[in-house]
Amino acid sequence: MTFSEKPFTLVAELTYRCPLHCPYCSNPLTIGDAHYKDELSTEDWTRVFREARALGVMQLGLTGGEPMARRDIVELTAAARSAGLYSTLVTAALSFTRARAEALRDAGLDHVQVSLQDSRAEESDRMAGTRSFERKLEAARLARELGFPLTLNFVMHRQNLDRIEEILALSEEIGAERVELANTQYYGWAMPNRAALMPTREQLERAERVVEEFRQRLGSRMEILYVLPDYYEDLPKTCSGGWGRHAIVVAPSGDAMPCHAATVIPGLEFDNVRERSLEWIWEESGAFNAFRGTGWMKEPCASCPLGRQEVDYGGCRCQAMLLTGDPTNADPVCRLSPHHDMLVEAREHDSAGNGDTPLVYRTLRPDGVPGRR
């Protein structure tokens, strides 16, 4: 089988090691497994970058975990520049010191994205599971001082949405060129934390008004991306632009996946870049071809009365798996899905809580058992 479209983005999950313990982390719950600790070497990643560019990839996300936990991060950045890729470092920024930041700039890093948890130190540190807020602010300001284009990313949820004005004001003060306000999507560590994180409809509606006010005032000075949680939609988004259509995710172990959450789908076997070329994986891999196109669809997707088969491609396969137990079901976000009521009931139940549900923090314990704090 040969797939005619070519990928645009490579997401390089360099490591799952991270100094933070965010309870909405998108990394799999099994990050402590020995499989993920056997990380690709510098040489492996360098080859993958070259193969990605030859395949048509233009954009590279250096992410994790915390990509700066890799001692070879500067060398990997240089390899990305040599391969002709536009590179973004997605970082918690605790080790984004001046010396390392200057080395990354000199190696050819194109863009920095710093993750922040909140606008206030106490709340940000509580959500991150460690004291980090002030160091993050220093790193973000350093990135601007050194001339990097800067994106600030805030994962939004019930416990910080009421401070969205402060979050945007802080972003403006730092001088970010782009702000991503991404409401929590319930994969990875966010799923066991759904009852603690699910916002109310009133919070979301107010947040949208605040975002629009800032957009009107700031214009092109700061791009603001605001993403609603799927649970409050009634039509699904495309899964990473469509399953296996635009992006490749490579885990620290070298497993190549169509999206970062694909490991939740039982029965999928992920080919490894140590054993197969990226081109072969893109075109021939069973995992990448599993939900491409529309041939796999069953009702109501197969004869969608809204004609969205090639618009959203059935929505998110991982969400269908997590909520219905079958990845071939229609994404329950869709109002036409026979499982839509299940999603609505979960949303209403979880958003009605009083906010004191204990958080399950991300952990690297080898048994994969999360910790409560």
Side-chain angles (χ1 to χ4, degrees), residues 301-323:
C301 297
S303 58
C304 177
L306 303 178
R308 292 179 59 88
Q309 293 96 325
E310 295 188 9
V311 176
D312 57 42
Y313 294 94
C316 179
R317 299 300 89 222
C318 301
Q319 194 153 253
M321 177 66 214
L322 287 169
L323 292 178

Side-chain angles (χ1 to χ4, degrees), residues 37-321:
K37 293 180 180 179
D38 182 19
E39 297 174 1
L40 293 179
S41 67
T42 309
E43 293 73 22
D44 286 329
W45 278 118
T46 298
R47 173 179 51 78
V48 168
F49 295 164
R50 290 197 303 265
E51 291 180 356
R53 184 66 193 93
L55 191 55
V57 168
M58 300 291 292
Q59 186 170 283
L60 169 69
L62 298 169
T63 182
E66 172 49 64
M68 294 191 72
R70 292 276 303 218
R71 294 183 179 181
D72 58 353
I73 186 62
V74 174
E75 188 175 348
L76 292 176
T77 300
R81 169 54 65 93
S82 179
L85 297 170
Y86 181 93
S87 59
T88 295
L89 179 72
V90 182
T91 178
L94 300 196
S95 53
F96 194 78
T97 62
R98 179 173 292 275
R100 294 193 87 193
E102 290 176 346
L104 288 165
R105 180 194 60 189
D106 295 344
L109 182 66
D110 293 296
H111 174 219
V112 174
Q113 177 174 308
V114 175
S115 64
L116 286 162
Q117 281 64 42
D118 211 307
S119 56
R120 301 180 183 179
E122 181 179 358
E123 293 302 317
S124 181
D125 293 347
R126 181 180 67 86
M127 192 58 59
T130 187
R131 293 182 63 181
S132 55
F133 181 72
E134 296 299 336
R135 290 165 67 186
K136 285 171 173 284
L137 294 188
E138 291 172 6
R141 293 187 174 109
L142 175 60
R144 294 299 294 130
E145 178 188 335
L146 295 178
F148 285 111
L150 174 66
T151 294
L152 297 180
N153 174 269
F154 295 84
V155 176
M156 307 303 295
H157 44 79
R158 184 167 65 205
Q159 301 191 34
N160 66 3
L161 263 169
D162 293 337
R163 289 183 292 280
I164 196 165
E165 293 106 327
E166 292 182 16
I167 285 170
L168 285 167
L170 176 63
S171 303
E172 180 185 4
E173 184 270 321
I174 290 172
E177 295 182 353
R178 176 182 170 90
V179 181
E180 294 182 358
L181 305 170
N183 275 284
T184 304
Q185 307 293 357
Y186 296 95
Y187 311 94
W189 294 85
M191 194 62 173
N193 284 296
R194 201 174 64 183
L197 300 175
M198 184 70 68
T200 65
R201 186 176 294 279
E202 291 73 22
Q203 282 183 303
L204 292 167
E205 290 174 349
R206 178 179 173 277
E208 287 188 274
R209 292 194 297 271
V210 171
V211 166
E212 188 55 34
E213 290 169 3
F214 269 82
R215 283 175 175 160
Q216 291 294 325
R217 182 172 65 79
L218 295 176
S220 61
R221 283 193 290 139
M222 188 171 77
E223 181 185 0
I224 304 173
L225 177 66
Y226 180 73
V227 181
L228 278 171
D230 284 358
Y231 279 58
Y232 280 90
E233 302 276 20
D234 62 5
L235 290 173
K237 305 179 181 73
T238 56
C239 175
S240 300
W243 181 278
R245 294 179 62 84
H246 301 295
I248 303 174
V249 179
V250 178
S253 60
D255 291 345
M257 303 173 290
C259 78
H260 64 272
T263 56
V264 303
I265 299 178
L268 287 184
E269 295 185 5
F270 302 105
D271 290 285
N272 195 287
V273 298
R274 288 182 170 117
E275 300 158 0
R276 297 284 193 177
S277 72
L278 214 57
E279 181 179 21
W280 188 96
I281 292 171
W282 178 255
E283 294 183 352
E284 306 293 340
S285 167
F288 275 79
N289 283 294
F291 304 110
R292 274 178 172 155
T294 60
W296 60 270
M297 291 181 178
K298 60 184 183 182
E299 299 299 346
C301 297
S303 58
C304 177
L306 303 178
R308 292 179 59 88
Q309 293 96 325
E310 295 188 9
V311 176
D312 57 42
Y313 294 94
C316 179
R317 299 300 89 222
C318 301
Q319 194 153 253
M321 177 66 214

